[in-house]
Amino acid sequence: MRVMNELESGRERQFMEYLRDGIMAAKDGHRNLARSLLNRAIYLNGYDARPYIWLSSTTDDPAEQIEYLEKAVSLEPTNASARRGLAILKGKIDQSK
């Protein structure tokens, strides 16, 4: 049982590193690197909404952005960032607010 906990802990640590680095790459405008890192994070933990939210910032395709944000909302229905992004993309609220 201890070995399993150590493996899970290492997996979570790796997930957090990929997520952190993916967010930094997205913020710095390195979209391809961000996508790669965020997809690695999803591979390790596909039940966390954060990588999907950040993936939505790595594409200019509104359909793809909606897909990522819908996945984030399905994982975390109360996530305000994902819900707001979806509302903006679907034209339900004014972006300037």
Coordinates of all heavy atoms in Angstrom, one line a residue:
M1 N 0.8 -1.2 0.0 CA 0.0 0.0 0.0 C 0.9 1.3 0.0 O 0.5 2.2 -0.6 CB -0.9 -0.1 1.3 CG -2.1 0.9 1.2 SD -3.2 0.3 -0.1 CE -4.6 1.2 0.3
R2 N 2.0 1.2 0.7 CA 2.9 2.4 0.8 C 3.5 2.7 -0.6 O 3.6 3.9 -1.0 CB 4.0 2.1 1.8 CG 4.9 3.3 1.9 CD 5.8 3.2 3.1 NE 6.6 4.4 3.1 CZ 7.8 4.4 3.6 NH1 8.4 3.3 4.0 NH2 8.5 5.5 3.6
V3 N 3.8 1.7 -1.4 CA 4.4 1.9 -2.7 C 3.3 2.6 -3.6 O 3.7 3.5 -4.3 CB 4.8 0.5 -3.3 CG1 5.2 0.7 -4.8 CG2 6.0 -0.1 -2.5
M4 N 2.1 2.2 -3.5 CA 1.0 2.8 -4.3 C 0.9 4.3 -3.9 O 0.8 5.1 -4.8 CB -0.3 2.1 -4.1 CG -1.4 2.6 -5.0 SD -1.0 2.4 -6.7 CE -1.7 0.9 -7.0
N5 N 0.9 4.6 -2.6 CA 0.8 6.0 -2.2 C 2.0 6.8 -2.7 O 1.8 8.0 -3.1 CB 0.8 6.1 -0.7 CG -0.6 5.7 -0.2 OD1 -1.6 5.7 -0.9 ND2 -0.6 5.3 1.1
E6 N 3.2 6.2 -2.7 CA 4.4 6.9 -3.3 C 4.2 7.2 -4.8 O 4.6 8.2 -5.3 CB 5.7 6.2 -3.0 CG 6.0 6.2 -1.5 CD 7.2 5.3 -1.2 OE1 7.9 4.9 -2.1 OE2 7.4 5.1 0.0
L7 N 3.7 6.2 -5.5 CA 3.5 6.3 -6.9 C 2.4 7.4 -7.2 O 2.6 8.2 -8.1 CB 3.0 5.0 -7.5 CG 4.1 3.9 -7.7 CD1 3.4 2.6 -8.1 CD2 5.2 4.3 -8.6
E8 N 1.4 7.4 -6.4 CA 0.3 8.4 -6.6 C 0.9 9.8 -6.3 O 0.6 10.7 -7.0 CB -0.9 8.1 -5.7 CG -1.7 6.9 -6.2 CD -2.8 6.5 -5.3 OE1 -3.0 7.2 -4.3 OE2 -3.4 5.4 -5.6
S9 N 1.7 9.9 -5.3 CA 2.3 11.2 -4.9 C 3.2 11.7 -6.0 O 3.2 12.8 -6.4 CB 3.1 11.0 -3.6 OG 3.7 12.2 -3.3
G10 N 4.0 10.8 -6.6 CA 4.9 11.1 -7.7 C 4.1 11.6 -8.9 O 4.5 12.5 -9.6
R11 N 3.0 10.9 -9.2 CA 2.2 11.2 -10.3 C 1.5 12.6 -10.1 O 1.5 13.3 -11.0 CB 1.1 10.1 -10.4 CG 0.3 10.1 -11.7 CD -0.6 8.9 -11.7 NE -1.4 8.9 -12.9 CZ -1.2 8.2 -14.0 NH1 -0.1 7.5 -14.1 NH2 -2.0 8.3 -15.0
E12 N 1.1 12.9 -8.9 CA 0.5 14.1 -8.6 C 1.5 15.3 -8.7 O 1.2 16.3 -9.3 CB -0.2 14.2 -7.2 CG -0.8 15.5 -6.9 CD -2.0 15.9 -7.7 OE1 -2.6 15.0 -8.4 OE2 -2.4 17.1 -7.7
R13 N 2.7 15.0 -8.2 CA 3.8 16.0 -8.3 C 4.1 16.3 -9.8 O 4.2 17.4 -10.2 CB 5.0 15.5 -7.6 CG 6.1 16.5 -7.4 CD 7.2 16.1 -6.5 NE 7.6 14.7 -6.5 CZ 7.2 13.7 -5.6 NH1 6.5 14.1 -4.6 NH2 7.6 12.5 -5.7
Q14 N 4.2 15.2 -10.6 CA 4.5 15.4 -12.1 C 3.3 16.2 -12.7 O 3.6 17.0 -13.6 CB 4.7 14.0 -12.7 CG 5.2 14.1 -14.1 CD 6.6 14.7 -14.2 OE1 7.5 14.2 -13.7 NE2 6.7 15.8 -14.9
F15 N 2.1 15.8 -12.4 CA 0.9 16.5 -12.9 C 1.0 18.0 -12.6 O 0.9 18.9 -13.5 CB -0.4 16.0 -12.3 CG -1.6 16.9 -12.5 CD1 -2.2 16.9 -13.8 CD2 -2.0 17.7 -11.5 CE1 -3.3 17.7 -14.0 CE2 -3.1 18.5 -11.8 CZ -3.8 18.5 -13.0
M16 N 1.3 18.4 -11.4 CA 1.4 19.8 -11.0 C 2.6 20.5 -11.7 O 2.4 21.6 -12.1 CB 1.6 19.9 -9.5 CG 0.4 19.5 -8.7 SD -1.1 20.4 -9.1 CE -0.7 22.0 -8.6
E17 N 3.7 19.8 -12.0 CA 4.8 20.4 -12.7 C 4.4 20.7 -14.2 O 4.6 21.8 -14.7 CB 6.0 19.5 -12.7 CG 6.7 19.5 -11.3 CD 7.9 18.5 -11.3 OE1 8.3 18.0 -12.3 OE2 8.3 18.2 -10.2
Y18 N 3.7 19.7 -14.8 CA 3.3 19.9 -16.2 C 2.2 21.0 -16.3 O 2.3 21.8 -17.2 CB 2.7 18.6 -16.8 CG 3.7 17.5 -17.2 CD1 3.4 16.2 -16.9 CD2 4.9 17.9 -17.8 CE1 4.3 15.2 -17.3 CE2 5.8 16.9 -18.1 CZ 5.5 15.6 -17.9 OH 6.3 14.6 -18.3
L19 N 1.3 21.0 -15.3 CA 0.3 22.1 -15.3 C 1.0 23.4 -15.1 O 0.7 24.4 -15.9 CB -0.7 21.8 -14.1 CG -1.8 22.9 -14.0 CD1 -2.7 22.9 -15.2 CD2 -2.6 22.5 -12.7
R20 N 1.8 23.6 -14.1 CA 2.5 24.9 -13.9 C 3.3 25.3 -15.1 O 3.2 26.5 -15.5 CB 3.5 24.7 -12.7 CG 4.2 26.0 -12.3 CD 5.4 25.8 -11.5 NE 6.4 25.0 -12.2 CZ 7.1 23.9 -11.7 NH1 6.9 23.6 -10.4 NH2 7.9 23.3 -12.4
D21 N 4.1 24.4 -15.7 CA 4.9 24.8 -16.8 C 4.0 25.1 -18.0 O 4.3 26.0 -18.8 CB 5.9 23.7 -17.1 CG 6.9 23.5 -16.1 OD1 7.1 24.4 -15.2 OD2 7.7 22.5 -16.1
G22 N 2.9 24.3 -18.2 CA 2.0 24.6 -19.3 C 1.3 26.0 -19.2 O 1.2 26.7 -20.2
I23 N 1.0 26.3 -18.0 CA 0.4 27.7 -17.7 C 1.4 28.7 -18.0 O 1.0 29.7 -18.7 CB -0.2 27.8 -16.3 CG1 -1.4 26.9 -16.1 CG2 -0.5 29.2 -16.0 CD1 -1.9 26.7 -14.7
M24 N 2.6 28.6 -17.6 CA 3.6 29.6 -17.9 C 3.9 29.7 -19.3 O 4.0 30.8 -19.9 CB 4.9 29.2 -17.1 CG 4.8 29.4 -15.6 SD 6.2 28.9 -14.6 CE 7.6 29.0 -15.6
A25 N 3.9 28.6 -20.1 CA 4.1 28.6 -21.5 C 3.0 29.3 -22.2 O 3.2 30.1 -23.1 CB 4.3 27.2 -22.1
A26 N 1.8 29.1 -21.8 CA 0.6 29.7 -22.4 C 0.7 31.2 -22.1 O 0.4 32.0 -23.0 CB -0.7 29.1 -21.8
K27 N 1.0 31.6 -20.9 CA 1.1 33.0 -20.6 C 2.2 33.7 -21.4 O 2.1 34.9 -21.7 CB 1.3 33.2 -19.1 CG 0.1 33.0 -18.2 CD 0.5 33.2 -16.8 CE -0.7 33.0 -15.9 NZ -0.4 33.3 -14.5
D28 N 3.2 33.0 -21.7 CA 4.4 33.5 -22.4 C 4.1 33.5 -24.0 O 5.0 33.9 -24.7 CB 5.7 32.8 -22.1 CG 6.2 33.1 -20.7 OD1 5.7 34.2 -20.1 OD2 7.0 32.4 -20.2
G29 N 3.0 32.9 -24.4 CA 2.7 32.9 -25.8 C 3.3 31.7 -26.5 O 3.2 31.6 -27.8
H30 N 3.8 30.7 -25.8 CA 4.4 29.5 -26.4 C 3.3 28.4 -26.5 O 3.2 27.5 -25.7 CB 5.6 29.0 -25.6 CG 6.6 30.1 -25.5 ND1 7.4 30.5 -26.6 CD2 7.1 30.8 -24.4 CE1 8.3 31.4 -26.1 NE2 8.1 31.6 -24.8
R31 N 2.4 28.6 -27.5 CA 1.2 27.8 -27.5 C 1.5 26.3 -27.8 O 0.8 25.5 -27.1 CB 0.3 28.3 -28.7 CG -0.4 29.6 -28.3 CD -1.2 30.1 -29.5 NE -2.2 31.0 -29.0 CZ -3.3 31.4 -29.8 NH1 -3.4 30.9 -31.0 NH2 -4.1 32.3 -29.3
N32 N 2.4 26.0 -28.7 CA 2.7 24.6 -28.9 C 3.2 23.9 -27.7 O 2.8 22.8 -27.4 CB 3.6 24.4 -30.1 CG 2.9 24.7 -31.4 OD1 1.7 24.6 -31.6 ND2 3.7 25.1 -32.4
L33 N 4.2 24.5 -27.0 CA 4.7 24.0 -25.8 C 3.7 23.9 -24.7 O 3.6 22.8 -24.0 CB 5.9 24.9 -25.3 CG 6.5 24.4 -24.0 CD1 7.1 23.0 -24.1 CD2 7.6 25.4 -23.6
A34 N 2.8 24.9 -24.6 CA 1.8 24.8 -23.6 C 0.8 23.7 -23.9 O 0.5 22.9 -23.0 CB 1.0 26.1 -23.6
R35 N 0.4 23.5 -25.1 CA -0.4 22.3 -25.5 C 0.2 21.0 -25.1 O -0.5 20.1 -24.5 CB -0.8 22.3 -27.0 CG -2.0 23.1 -27.3 CD -2.5 22.8 -28.8 NE -1.5 23.4 -29.7 CZ -1.6 24.6 -30.2 NH1 -2.5 25.4 -29.7 NH2 -0.7 25.1 -31.1
S36 N 1.5 20.9 -25.4 CA 2.2 19.6 -25.1 C 2.2 19.4 -23.6 O 1.9 18.3 -23.1 CB 3.6 19.7 -25.7 OG 4.3 18.5 -25.3
L37 N 2.5 20.4 -22.8 CA 2.6 20.2 -21.4 C 1.3 20.0 -20.8 O 1.1 19.1 -19.9 CB 3.3 21.4 -20.8 CG 4.8 21.6 -21.1 CD1 5.3 23.0 -20.8 CD2 5.6 20.5 -20.4
L38 N 0.3 20.7 -21.2 CA -1.1 20.6 -20.6 C -1.7 19.2 -21.0 O -2.4 18.6 -20.2 CB -2.0 21.7 -21.1 CG -1.5 23.1 -20.5 CD1 -2.3 24.2 -21.3 CD2 -1.8 23.2 -19.1
N39 N -1.4 18.7 -22.2 CA -1.9 17.4 -22.6 C -1.2 16.3 -21.7 O -1.8 15.3 -21.4 CB -1.7 17.1 -24.1 CG -2.9 17.7 -24.9 OD1 -4.0 17.6 -24.5 ND2 -2.5 18.5 -25.9
R40 N 0.1 16.5 -21.4 CA 0.8 15.6 -20.5 C 0.1 15.6 -19.1 O -0.1 14.5 -18.5 CB 2.2 15.9 -20.4 CG 3.0 15.6 -21.6 CD 4.4 16.0 -21.5 NE 5.1 15.9 -22.8 CZ 6.4 16.3 -23.0 NH1 7.1 16.7 -22.0 NH2 6.9 16.2 -24.2
A41 N -0.3 16.8 -18.7 CA -1.0 16.9 -17.4 C -2.3 16.1 -17.4 O -2.6 15.4 -16.5 CB -1.2 18.3 -17.0
I42 N -3.0 16.3 -18.5 CA -4.3 15.5 -18.7 C -4.1 14.0 -18.7 O -4.9 13.3 -18.1 CB -5.0 16.0 -19.9 CG1 -5.5 17.4 -19.7 CG2 -6.2 15.1 -20.3 CD1 -6.0 18.1 -21.0
Y43 N -3.0 13.6 -19.3 CA -2.7 12.2 -19.3 C -2.5 11.6 -17.9 O -3.0 10.5 -17.6 CB -1.4 11.9 -20.2 CG -1.0 10.5 -20.2 CD1 -1.7 9.5 -21.0 CD2 0.0 10.0 -19.4 CE1 -1.3 8.2 -21.0 CE2 0.4 8.7 -19.3 CZ -0.2 7.8 -20.1 OH 0.1 6.5 -20.1
L44 N -1.9 12.4 -17.0 CA -1.7 12.0 -15.7 C -2.9 12.2 -14.8 O -3.1 11.4 -13.8 CB -0.5 12.8 -15.0 CG 0.8 12.5 -15.7 CD1 1.9 13.5 -15.1 CD2 1.2 11.0 -15.4
N45 N -3.8 13.2 -15.1 CA -5.0 13.4 -14.3 C -6.0 14.1 -15.2 O -6.1 15.3 -15.3 CB -4.7 14.3 -13.1 CG -5.9 14.6 -12.3 OD1 -7.0 14.1 -12.6 ND2 -5.7 15.3 -11.2
G46 N -6.8 13.2 -15.8 CA -7.9 13.7 -16.7 C -9.1 14.3 -16.0 O -10.1 14.6 -16.7
Y47 N -9.1 14.3 -14.7 CA -10.2 14.7 -13.9 C -10.1 16.1 -13.3 O -10.9 16.5 -12.5 CB -10.5 13.7 -12.8 CG -10.8 12.3 -13.4 CD1 -9.9 11.3 -13.4 CD2 -12.0 12.1 -14.0 CE1 -10.1 10.1 -14.0 CE2 -12.3 10.8 -14.6 CZ -11.3 9.8 -14.6 OH -11.6 8.6 -15.1
D48 N -9.1 16.8 -13.7 CA -8.8 18.2 -13.2 C -9.2 19.2 -14.4 O -8.8 19.0 -15.5 CB -7.4 18.3 -12.8 CG -7.1 19.6 -12.0 OD1 -7.4 20.7 -12.6 OD2 -6.6 19.5 -10.9
A49 N -10.0 20.2 -14.0 CA -10.5 21.1 -15.0 C -9.4 22.1 -15.5 O -9.5 22.6 -16.6 CB -11.7 21.9 -14.5
R50 N -8.4 22.4 -14.7 CA -7.4 23.4 -15.0 C -6.7 23.3 -16.3 O -6.6 24.2 -17.1 CB -6.5 23.6 -13.8 CG -7.1 24.1 -12.6 CD -6.2 24.1 -11.4 NE -5.9 22.7 -11.0 CZ -5.1 22.4 -10.1 NH1 -4.5 23.3 -9.4 NH2 -4.9 21.1 -9.8
P51 N -6.2 22.1 -16.7 CA -5.5 22.0 -18.0 C -6.4 22.3 -19.1 O -6.0 22.9 -20.1 CB -5.0 20.5 -18.0 CG -5.1 20.0 -16.6 CD -6.1 20.8 -15.9
Y52 N -7.7 21.9 -19.0 CA -8.6 22.2 -20.1 C -8.9 23.7 -20.3 O -9.0 24.2 -21.4 CB -9.9 21.4 -19.9 CG -9.8 19.9 -20.0 CD1 -9.7 19.1 -18.8 CD2 -9.7 19.3 -21.2 CE1 -9.5 17.7 -18.9 CE2 -9.5 17.9 -21.3 CZ -9.4 17.1 -20.2 OH -9.3 15.8 -20.3
I53 N -9.0 24.3 -19.1 CA -9.2 25.8 -19.2 C -8.1 26.5 -19.9 O -8.2 27.3 -20.8 CB -9.4 26.4 -17.8 CG1 -10.7 25.8 -17.2 CG2 -9.4 27.9 -17.8 CD1 -10.9 26.1 -15.7
W54 N -6.8 26.1 -19.5 CA -5.7 26.7 -20.2 C -5.5 26.3 -21.6 O -5.0 27.0 -22.4 CB -4.4 26.4 -19.3 CG -4.4 27.3 -18.1 CD1 -4.8 27.1 -16.9 CD2 -4.0 28.7 -18.2 NE1 -4.7 28.2 -16.1 CE2 -4.2 29.2 -16.9 CE3 -3.5 29.5 -19.2 CZ2 -3.9 30.6 -16.6 CZ3 -3.2 30.9 -18.8 CH2 -3.4 31.4 -17.5
L55 N -5.9 25.0 -21.9 CA -5.8 24.6 -23.3 C -6.7 25.5 -24.2 O -6.3 25.7 -25.4 CB -6.2 23.1 -23.5 CG -5.2 22.1 -23.3 CD1 -5.8 20.7 -23.2 CD2 -4.1 22.2 -24.4
S56 N -7.8 26.0 -23.7 CA -8.6 26.9 -24.4 C -7.9 28.1 -24.9 O -8.3 28.8 -25.9 CB -9.9 27.2 -23.7 OG -9.7 28.1 -22.6
S57 N -6.9 28.5 -24.2 CA -6.1 29.7 -24.5 C -5.0 29.5 -25.6 O -4.4 30.4 -26.0 CB -5.5 30.4 -23.3 OG -4.4 29.6 -22.8
T58 N -4.9 28.2 -26.0 CA -3.8 27.9 -26.9 C -4.3 27.7 -28.3 O -3.5 27.3 -29.2 CB -3.1 26.5 -26.5 OG1 -4.0 25.5 -26.6 CG2 -2.6 26.6 -25.1
T59 N -5.5 28.1 -28.6 CA -6.1 28.0 -29.9 C -6.9 29.2 -30.2 O -7.5 29.8 -29.3 CB -6.9 26.7 -30.1 OG1 -7.4 26.6 -31.4 CG2 -8.1 26.6 -29.1
D60 N -7.0 29.5 -31.5 CA -7.9 30.6 -32.0 C -9.2 30.1 -32.5 O -10.1 30.9 -32.8 CB -7.2 31.4 -33.1 CG -6.0 32.2 -32.5 OD1 -6.0 32.7 -31.4 OD2 -5.0 32.3 -33.3
D61 N -9.4 28.8 -32.6 CA -10.6 28.2 -33.1 C -11.7 28.2 -32.0 O -11.5 27.4 -31.0 CB -10.3 26.8 -33.5 CG -11.5 26.0 -34.1 OD1 -12.6 26.6 -34.1 OD2 -11.3 24.9 -34.5
P62 N -12.7 29.0 -32.2 CA -13.8 29.0 -31.1 C -14.4 27.7 -30.8 O -14.7 27.4 -29.7 CB -14.8 30.0 -31.7 CG -14.0 30.8 -32.7 CD -13.0 29.9 -33.3
A63 N -14.6 26.8 -31.8 CA -15.2 25.5 -31.6 C -14.3 24.7 -30.7 O -14.7 24.0 -29.8 CB -15.4 24.8 -32.9
E64 N -13.0 24.8 -30.9 CA -12.0 24.1 -30.1 C -12.0 24.6 -28.6 O -12.0 23.9 -27.7 CB -10.6 24.1 -30.7 CG -9.7 23.1 -30.2 CD -8.4 23.1 -31.0 OE1 -8.2 23.9 -31.9 OE2 -7.5 22.3 -30.7
Q65 N -12.0 26.0 -28.5 CA -12.1 26.6 -27.2 C -13.3 26.2 -26.5 O -13.2 25.8 -25.3 CB -12.1 28.1 -27.4 CG -10.8 28.7 -27.9 CD -10.9 30.2 -28.2 OE1 -12.0 30.7 -28.5 NE2 -9.8 30.8 -28.2
I66 N -14.5 26.1 -27.1 CA -15.7 25.7 -26.5 C -15.6 24.2 -26.0 O -16.0 23.9 -24.9 CB -16.9 25.9 -27.5 CG1 -17.2 27.4 -27.6 CG2 -18.1 25.1 -27.0 CD1 -18.2 27.7 -28.7
E67 N -15.0 23.4 -26.9 CA -14.8 22.0 -26.5 C -14.0 21.8 -25.2 O -14.4 21.1 -24.3 CB -14.1 21.2 -27.6 CG -14.0 19.8 -27.5 CD -13.4 19.1 -28.7 OE1 -13.6 19.5 -29.8 OE2 -12.6 18.2 -28.4
Y68 N -12.9 22.6 -25.1 CA -12.1 22.5 -23.9 C -12.8 23.0 -22.7 O -12.8 22.4 -21.6 CB -10.8 23.3 -24.1 CG -9.8 22.7 -25.0 CD1 -9.2 23.5 -26.0 CD2 -9.4 21.4 -24.9 CE1 -8.2 22.9 -26.9 CE2 -8.5 20.8 -25.8 CZ -7.9 21.6 -26.7 OH -6.9 21.1 -27.6
L69 N -13.5 24.1 -22.9 CA -14.2 24.7 -21.7 C -15.4 23.9 -21.3 O -15.7 23.8 -20.1 CB -14.6 26.2 -22.0 CG -13.5 27.1 -22.2 CD1 -13.9 28.5 -22.7 CD2 -12.7 27.3 -20.9
E70 N -16.1 23.3 -22.2 CA -17.2 22.4 -21.9 C -16.7 21.2 -21.1 O -17.3 20.7 -20.2 CB -18.0 21.9 -23.1 CG -18.9 23.0 -23.7 CD -19.6 22.6 -24.9 OE1 -19.2 21.6 -25.6 OE2 -20.6 23.3 -25.2
K71 N -15.5 20.7 -21.5 CA -14.9 19.6 -20.7 C -14.6 20.0 -19.3 O -14.9 19.3 -18.3 CB -13.7 19.1 -21.4 CG -13.0 17.9 -20.7 CD -13.8 16.7 -20.7 CE -13.0 15.5 -20.0 NZ -13.8 14.3 -19.9
A72 N -14.0 21.2 -19.2 CA -13.7 21.8 -17.9 C -15.0 21.9 -17.0 O -14.9 21.5 -15.8 CB -13.0 23.1 -18.0
V73 N -16.0 22.4 -17.6 CA -17.3 22.6 -16.8 C -17.9 21.2 -16.5 O -18.4 21.0 -15.4 CB -18.3 23.4 -17.6 CG1 -19.7 23.4 -17.0 CG2 -17.8 24.9 -17.7
S74 N -17.7 20.2 -17.3 CA -18.3 18.9 -17.0 C -17.5 18.3 -15.8 O -18.1 17.5 -15.0 CB -18.2 18.0 -18.2 OG -16.9 17.5 -18.4
L75 N -16.2 18.6 -15.7 CA -15.4 18.1 -14.6 C -15.6 18.9 -13.3 O -15.6 18.4 -12.2 CB -13.9 18.2 -14.9 CG -13.5 17.2 -16.0 CD1 -12.1 17.5 -16.5 CD2 -13.6 15.8 -15.6
E76 N -15.9 20.2 -13.5 CA -16.0 21.1 -12.3 C -17.1 22.2 -12.6 O -16.8 23.3 -13.1 CB -14.7 21.8 -12.0 CG -14.6 22.6 -10.7 CD -13.3 23.2 -10.5 OE1 -12.2 22.7 -10.9 OE2 -13.3 24.3 -9.9
P77 N -18.4 21.8 -12.4 CA -19.5 22.6 -12.9 C -19.5 24.0 -12.2 O -20.1 24.9 -12.8 CB -20.7 21.8 -12.4 CG -20.2 20.4 -12.3 CD -18.8 20.5 -11.9
T78 N -18.9 24.2 -11.1 CA -18.9 25.5 -10.5 C -17.7 26.4 -10.8 O -17.6 27.5 -10.3 CB -19.0 25.4 -8.9 OG1 -17.8 24.7 -8.5 CG2 -20.2 24.7 -8.5
N79 N -16.9 25.9 -11.8 CA -15.7 26.7 -12.1 C -16.1 28.0 -12.9 O -16.5 27.9 -14.0 CB -14.7 25.9 -12.9 CG -13.4 26.6 -13.2 OD1 -13.4 27.6 -13.8 ND2 -12.3 26.0 -12.7
A80 N -15.9 29.1 -12.2 CA -16.4 30.4 -12.8 C -15.6 30.8 -14.0 O -16.2 31.3 -15.0 CB -16.2 31.5 -11.7
S81 N -14.3 30.5 -14.1 CA -13.5 30.9 -15.3 C -14.0 30.1 -16.5 O -14.2 30.7 -17.6 CB -12.0 30.5 -15.0 OG -11.5 31.3 -14.0
A82 N -14.2 28.8 -16.3 CA -14.7 28.0 -17.5 C -16.1 28.4 -17.9 O -16.4 28.6 -19.1 CB -14.7 26.5 -17.1
R83 N -17.0 28.7 -16.9 CA -18.4 29.1 -17.3 C -18.4 30.4 -17.9 O -19.1 30.6 -18.9 CB -19.2 29.0 -16.0 CG -19.4 27.6 -15.4 CD -20.2 27.6 -14.2 NE -21.6 27.8 -14.4 CZ -22.4 27.0 -15.0 NH1 -22.0 25.8 -15.3 NH2 -23.7 27.3 -15.2
R84 N -17.6 31.4 -17.5 CA -17.5 32.7 -18.1 C -17.0 32.6 -19.5 O -17.5 33.2 -20.4 CB -16.7 33.6 -17.2 CG -16.7 35.1 -17.7 CD -15.9 36.0 -16.8 NE -16.2 37.4 -17.0 CZ -15.9 38.1 -18.1 NH1 -15.2 37.5 -19.1 NH2 -16.1 39.4 -18.2
G85 N -15.9 31.8 -19.7 CA -15.3 31.7 -21.0 C -16.3 31.1 -22.0 O -16.4 31.6 -23.1
L86 N -17.1 30.1 -21.5 CA -18.1 29.5 -22.4 C -19.2 30.6 -22.7 O -19.6 30.7 -23.9 CB -18.8 28.3 -21.7 CG -18.2 27.0 -21.9 CD1 -18.9 25.9 -21.1 CD2 -18.2 26.6 -23.4
A87 N -19.6 31.3 -21.7 CA -20.7 32.3 -22.0 C -20.2 33.4 -23.0 O -20.9 33.8 -23.9 CB -21.1 33.0 -20.7
I88 N -18.9 33.8 -22.9 CA -18.4 34.8 -23.8 C -18.4 34.2 -25.2 O -18.8 34.8 -26.2 CB -17.0 35.2 -23.4 CG1 -17.1 36.1 -22.2 CG2 -16.3 35.9 -24.5 CD1 -15.7 36.4 -21.5
L89 N -17.8 32.9 -25.3 CA -17.7 32.3 -26.7 C -19.1 32.1 -27.3 O -19.2 32.1 -28.5 CB -16.9 31.0 -26.5 CG -15.5 31.1 -26.3 CD1 -14.8 29.8 -25.9 CD2 -14.8 31.7 -27.6
K90 N -20.1 31.8 -26.5 CA -21.4 31.5 -27.0 C -22.2 32.8 -27.1 O -23.4 32.8 -27.5 CB -22.1 30.5 -26.1 CG -21.5 29.1 -26.2 CD -22.2 28.1 -25.5 CE -21.6 26.7 -25.7 NZ -22.4 25.7 -25.0
G91 N -21.6 33.9 -26.9 CA -22.2 35.2 -27.1 C -23.2 35.6 -26.1 O -24.1 36.5 -26.3
K92 N -23.2 35.0 -24.9 CA -24.2 35.3 -23.9 C -23.9 36.5 -23.0 O -24.8 37.0 -22.3 CB -24.4 34.0 -23.0 CG -25.0 32.9 -23.8 CD -25.3 31.7 -23.0 CE -25.9 30.6 -23.9 NZ -26.0 29.3 -23.1
I93 N -22.6 36.8 -22.9 CA -22.2 38.0 -22.1 C -21.2 38.9 -22.9 O -20.5 38.4 -23.8 CB -21.7 37.7 -20.7 CG1 -20.4 36.9 -20.8 CG2 -22.7 37.0 -19.9 CD1 -19.7 36.6 -19.5
D94 N -21.2 40.1 -22.5 CA -20.3 41.0 -23.2 C -18.8 40.8 -22.6 O -18.6 40.9 -21.4 CB -20.7 42.5 -22.9 CG -19.9 43.5 -23.6 OD1 -18.9 43.2 -24.2 OD2 -20.3 44.7 -23.4
Q95 N -17.9 40.6 -23.5 CA -16.5 40.4 -23.1 C -15.9 41.6 -22.4 O -15.0 41.4 -21.6 CB -15.6 40.2 -24.3 CG -15.8 38.9 -25.0 CD -14.7 38.6 -26.1 OE1 -13.6 38.7 -25.7 NE2 -15.1 38.4 -27.3
S96 N -16.4 42.8 -22.6 CA -15.7 44.0 -22.0 C -16.0 44.1 -20.5 O -15.5 45.0 -19.8 CB -16.2 45.2 -22.7 OG -17.6 45.4 -22.6
K97 N -16.9 43.3 -20.0 CA -17.3 43.4 -18.6 C -16.4 42.5 -17.7 O -15.8 41.6 -18.1 CB -18.7 42.9 -18.4 CG -19.7 43.9 -19.0 CD -21.1 43.6 -18.7 CE -22.0 44.6 -19.4 NZ -23.4 44.3 -19.2

